[in-house]
Amino acid sequence: MGIGTGIALFVIGAILAFAVNVDLGGVVNLALIGYILMAAGVVVFLISLVMVFRRRQSVATTRSAVDPASGEQVTRSTRESDGPLV
């Protein structure tokens, strides 16, 4: 489930809630189903955004030391990330 799934659920729910005007004899309330789908779409969208932002975090480490043999300063930088976005 991703951002697109959340948007699709929201759009389908909005269509059912606001655009469809069909009377099914009181068996099924399409407006209520539309509102439920819209709420589920918002939840999926927000969870997907949180997961995308968590994947983009990275850690940068810089270490400096003096080489005992030559006396010059050595700096090492490493960068770790959670992996590429797919």
Side-chain angles (χ1 to χ4, degrees):
M1 291 190 167
I3 294 173
T5 305
I7 293 172
L9 283 174
F10 188 84
V11 168
I12 292 169
I15 290 170
L16 285 177
F18 303 121
V20 176
N21 191 9
V22 177
D23 184 22
L24 298 176
V27 177
V28 177
N29 188 352
L30 289 179
L32 179 62
I33 293 174
Y35 291 130
I36 292 171
L37 285 175
M38 288 171 59
V42 168
V43 169
V44 169
F45 181 78
L46 292 176
I47 290 173
S48 298
L49 280 181
V50 168
M51 297 304 284
V52 165
F53 286 130
R54 283 188 73 201
R55 276 191 259 161
R56 291 188 181 180
Q57 291 180 351
S58 62
V59 177
T61 306
T62 304
R63 296 183 182 162
S64 297
V66 177
D67 186 13
S70 64
E72 59 184 66
Q73 185 173 354
V74 178
T75 303
R76 178 190 295 175
S77 296
T78 58
R79 183 169 204 93
E80 298 175 14
S81 64
D82 292 335
L85 292 175
V86 178

